[in-house]
Amino acid sequence: MTLFDFFESVELPVPAITPMQAADIAAQHFGIQAHVTALGSQQDANFLLRDLTGVPLGVLKIANPVFSRIELEAQDAASAFIAAGEGIRTATNIELAGSPPIAQIDGDKTLFPRIITYLDGGTLSGDAYLRPAKVAGLGALAGRSCRALTNFDHPGVDRVMQWDLRHGIRTVGVLAEHITDAGQRQVVEAAAARAWQRVAQLADDLPIQVIHSDVTCDNVVCDADGIPDGLIDFGDLVRSWAVGELAVGVASVLSHDGAESATTLAAIEAFHAVRPLSPAEIEALWPLVVLRAAVLVVSGRQQSSIDADNAYAVAGQNQEWRMFERATQIPLDVMTAQIRTALGVARPGEPITADAALIAGLDPPDIVLLDLSVESDAMDAGSWLEPDCEDRLARAALAGGARAVLTEFGQARLTRSARLSEFSPATVATGVQLWPATPLTLTAPWTGVLDLSGDGPVLSVTGAAGTVTIRGGLRRDAAVAQGQSVTAGAALGSIEGPIWIQLLRHRPAGLPGDEVPDFVRPEYAAGWLDRVSDPAVLLGLAPTAQPAEDAATLRQRRSRAFAEVQEHYYDHPPRIERGWREHLIGTDGRSYLDMVNNVAVLGHGHPDLADTVARQWRRLNTNSRFNYAAVAELSQRLADTLPDPLDTVFLVNSGSESDDLALRLAMATTGRQDIVAVAEAYHGWTYATDAISTSIADNPNALSTRPPWVHTVPSPNAFRGEHRGADASRYAPEAVAIIEGLAAQGHPPAAFIAEPFYGNAGGMALPDGYLRAVYAAVRAAGGLAIADEVQVGYGRTGRWFWAFQQQDVIPDIVCVAKAMGNGQPLGAVITTREIAESFRTQGYFFSSAGGSPVSCVVGLTVLDVIERERLQENALTVGDHLKARILDLATRHPLIGTVHGSGLYMGVELVRDRTTLEPAAEETSAICERMLQLGVIVQPTGDRQNVLKMKPPMCLTRESADFFVAMLDRVLGTGF
Ligand code: PMP
């Protein structure tokens, strides 16, 4: 029996079989009565068979008649083999009594129908975003398929397929004519040729075995978490290069929204962990990805041209082109070096040294290094945002006496960062910049040949080890000429202004020596840096040390020493070492919009705060039993923000402490112990505040471990609680009844405590009149009203400085922290003189650092800045704008159930169904992960973890708010 040879019959129109005919085939040959729907395929005819109730029975596959029976038998055998060997779910033949596994219909061309199991879980088809875990899942599955098939063989696998990458260049050659646009055709042919050239050099070392050869997003099915765990469609099974199994999967990742070459590293790492790649396979991988993409483009165009009705093929064209463009965006060797780094097998080259100094008479001690990294002190106070920042800093160093100022090779420069960007900016320097104080003499570092071509004053010397290029403030000697040979130490010109120096390594034979951009994106930095060497060595300096510890290593170090129960945000948190206003910046220069740091009301890195604190530290820091002005001033300022009779202040260090003290004051005042709190609340971690916290998001056991003195009233949630909308007015009488009931049972409460705006539930306003009624009831029972303003106070709600003002009540005790210190540990309890005095029955109150001079000047400065920068007003205007824009998104994205909140305290509640309000918790978490990739930090909150909490620094600009909305829109539209 002859096996298929693509090059003998390049045209493979899908067998023309209608669903009706398919139903007949299923009935006649397999005895199955089924509802039939056509499934897309490029070369076969596939139909989903369902029973009368819609339950899938299997997939009827009618292979293209060009394939022989033995090839189909090989596919069925491989499928069963993988399932048995790896425990992977695979689509295998359904065994039907009385029917052969492969039927036969003779005619013009013999058809071989089969019925294969239908695997549920859905594929990864389409353009939607693929999160890293799915990408890794695809890679792992390809690895397992490849591993399982190592020992598989069958007479039906030695066929000649266009998908076998061993024939990749031939396939492109035969089918390229179907790309009608000449420009596109040329690009594809050139890329395929370059890739093939590299693969051909490695071919002898690439292991060969049987592979599925189509482990793509279309051919995997997923588990309940959406992670691929099953494999379908063995139609391309063939003996080929083993690494092709991975290349094919990697290429398919590239078509998805937001994907780029670096996205696929997760799949490559996962494959390597299952089925280690050999050195030759690592080198061949990216060229094979490019080749696969080229084959897909040409095959797709051919298929559409011969089978214009094949919607599946036509729709695939854009996808294939996108894949190709992305696969070829980064040069082959750069991506390969990046893959080596990701797999931990990078081979960093030795630094290139000079035979003569590049700059005559400039000694290393004369050179001052300019640190432009995220952690550089020179970057404080947003200085990097000034367009001339680098130049200004360099000139200041020259003014300070340096003969020359030099930047660092390989450094991620904050000065090259971009705020509000969905992509990581190109921050990593592939060369160095040098500013001379006075003209310096440029000399040839080695014997070599000169190149003067390029824009503006530029000069390169190519020697045995590499090519150094100098560009910028350079005056070439009149005698130097293009192509001239020079000896080491020969004078070439003078450096009269800032210059850029880049040192390219020689490329191994056969690799293109393309240019290296001055700055590259961190995701590809290892790859690009593989092409260059540190030019500082040519100036007699030691090469720059390796970049700072990366985020993942830091996290491991943290988990070794820091109790892990103190959790961290994100699966793979970036390493953040700087903040400025509403932006947080990773050490790679990536800037994130911070939508969660409610504590940093003023914004990050506020210079006024830093300066006042530093000044106060230098002058005095002691405790409040001494007599100094700051404690009196802060207490007075706080009391002035509150209505009478709230005129007496305690200063502590945190929200937990302030709530804890409030409880003790209430207990001391009333001589009682019972406390009424609102369900689902969080009030702190101390023994007492933890006792009154019933948020299961913060403590899953919260409801079952309440001590008997804690009583809760239902969370007055007007959106999803027992009483919704206008009915929410019923929460107040219910709470009143509980309080009255406690009093009647001999347990009158010492206090009722609540957030006056329900922050922990996602920033929900309490129902109108709620606190008025409940405060009245608790007071009638002889108890006190405590307002926990730890999160929602201090102007964040925009309309009110204190959130209790929204409810038109005056509490007996107000607790505040967080915003009060802008992140410095600082909290306060403000109450009446009489309640404060009650504490005397407990001894006297002292907190070592509470009310210290440093803490007090922090508190005063925060209040000053809030006033001076009109941050409460900003919270109102930007907050209203943001809310309106998110409500507008809700008209297009049904996942948005509602938007809670006021000012810059908001919660976007996500639901799977607007009628049942089923919480979209997994979605919320996945959305947060993708938002991080797009440069936004936002987190889930609430007991159901389905609310995006939005409580950014109060200096948030309208532009930043708009960026948040644009990214949320993108994520909701393209997947997470
Ligand atoms: N009360 C509320 C409403 C809070 O949100 C928090 C902290 N999330 C606290 C009290 C405890 O504050 P801290 O973490 O400063 O102890």
Side-chain angles (χ1 to χ4, degrees), residues 409-442:
F409 170 75
Q411 183 170 72
R413 288 194 195 172
L414 180 52
T415 44
R416 302 283 161 158
S417 179
R419 284 175 303 165
L420 307 180
S421 165
E422 66 186 90
F423 304 109
S424 63
T427 52
V428 180
T430 61
V432 295
Q433 261 165 300
L434 179 136
W435 284 258
T438 53
L440 298 168
T441 304
L442 179 72

Side-chain angles (χ1 to χ4, degrees), residues 654-657 659 682-685 755 760 788 790-791 817-818:
S654 70
S656 299
E657 282 182 63
D659 282 352
Y682 178 79
H683 293 291
W685 65 266
E755 284 189 272
N760 202 52
D788 179 345
V790 168
Q791 283 215 74
K818 299 210 188 216

Side-chain angles (χ1 to χ4, degrees), residues 273-337:
V274 173
R275 190 320 206 143
L277 293 161
S278 71
E281 287 178 324
I282 294 172
E283 298 302 301
L285 177 60
W286 206 261
L288 288 174
V289 171
V290 170
L291 203 55
R292 163 72 176 182
V295 167
L296 285 174
V297 169
V298 295
S299 303
R301 302 293 168 103
Q302 180 221 16
Q303 201 67 24
S304 323
S305 72
I306 58 173
D307 193 3
D309 294 340
N310 188 339
Y312 182 76
V314 175
Q317 281 194 15
N318 289 339
Q319 215 182 24
E320 286 146 3
W321 186 252
R322 193 162 54 235
M323 231 183 249
F324 173 78
E325 278 189 322
R326 290 173 176 177
T328 49
Q329 216 152 35
I330 305 289
L332 292 176
D333 64 306
V334 172
M335 196 54 207
T336 301

Side-chain angles (χ1 to χ4, degrees), residues 156-417:
V157 298
D158 288 302
R159 51 220 197 110
V160 180
M161 302 283 286
Q162 86 249 50
W163 311 120
D164 177 353
L165 290 170
R166 293 180 302 170
H167 305 303
I169 196 67
R170 199 173 156 203
T171 305
V172 173
V174 171
L175 301 184
E177 62 176 15
H178 295 285
I179 307 180
T180 45
D181 179 308
Q184 279 191 349
R185 185 167 61 241
Q186 214 170 22
V187 171
V188 172
E189 284 176 333
R194 265 198 310 273
W196 184 254
Q197 191 190 9
R198 184 70 188 125
V199 173
Q201 292 168 339
L202 300 157
D204 287 348
D205 294 323
L206 297 178
I208 289 177
Q209 64 169 74
V210 179
I211 56 173
H212 176 286
S213 107
D214 206 14
V215 185
T216 62
C217 293
D218 288 333
N219 289 336
V220 294
V221 286
C222 301
D223 65 13
D225 295 327
I227 309 296
D229 73 335
L231 204 44
I232 58 176
D233 196 350
F234 283 69
D236 294 342
L237 188 85
V238 70
R239 192 188 309 281
S240 181
W241 288 316
V243 63
E245 196 82 311
L246 176 57
V248 164
V250 161
S252 84
V253 169
L254 287 173
S255 70
H256 289 263
D257 187 79
E260 52 178 297
S261 305
T263 312
T264 68
L265 291 171
I268 298 170
E269 287 168 39
F271 183 100
H272 187 63
V274 173
R275 190 320 206 143
L277 293 161
S278 71
E281 287 178 324
I282 294 172
E283 298 302 301
L285 177 60
W286 206 261
L288 288 174
V289 171
V290 170
L291 203 55
R292 163 72 176 182
V295 167
L296 285 174
V297 169
V298 295
S299 303
R301 302 293 168 103
Q302 180 221 16
Q303 201 67 24
S304 323
S305 72
I306 58 173
D307 193 3
D309 294 340
N310 188 339
Y312 182 76
V314 175
Q317 281 194 15
N318 289 339
Q319 215 182 24
E320 286 146 3
W321 186 252
R322 193 162 54 235
M323 231 183 249
F324 173 78
E325 278 189 322
R326 290 173 176 177
T328 49
Q329 216 152 35
I330 305 289
L332 292 176
D333 64 306
V334 172
M335 196 54 207
T336 301
Q338 193 67 41
I339 292 170
R340 272 189 236 122
T341 301
L343 300 183
V345 296
R347 310 169 302 219
E350 286 295 311
I352 297 178
T353 52
D355 297 332
L358 182 68
I359 298 175
L362 182 68
D363 296 325
D366 299 333
I367 304 171
V368 166
L369 286 180
L370 183 58
D371 182 0
L372 299 171
S373 74
V374 169
E375 291 173 85
S376 163
D377 291 341
M379 299 294 119
D380 289 352
S383 70
W384 77 92
L385 296 168
E386 298 156 19
D388 64 344
C389 173
E390 294 175 351
D391 205 49
R392 183 176 49 76
L393 292 171
R395 291 189 194 283
L398 292 179
R403 280 197 66 204
V405 173
L406 189 71
T407 60
E408 290 188 35
F409 170 75
Q411 183 170 72
R413 288 194 195 172
L414 180 52
T415 44
R416 302 283 161 158
S417 179

Side-chain angles (χ1 to χ4, degrees), residues 598-599 653-659 681-686 689 693 698 753-760 788-792 815-818 825-827 905 949 951:
N598 59 334
V599 175
N653 309 288
S654 70
S656 299
E657 282 182 63
S658 75
D659 282 352
Y682 178 79
H683 293 291
W685 65 266
T686 63
T689 54
S693 298
D698 294 297
I753 181 169
E755 284 189 272
F757 210 89
Y758 210 167
N760 202 52
D788 179 345
E789 295 267 358
V790 168
Q791 283 215 74
V792 289
C815 302
V816 61
K818 299 210 188 216
L826 191 52
Y905 202 117
K949 62 176 162 193
K951 36 187 190 175

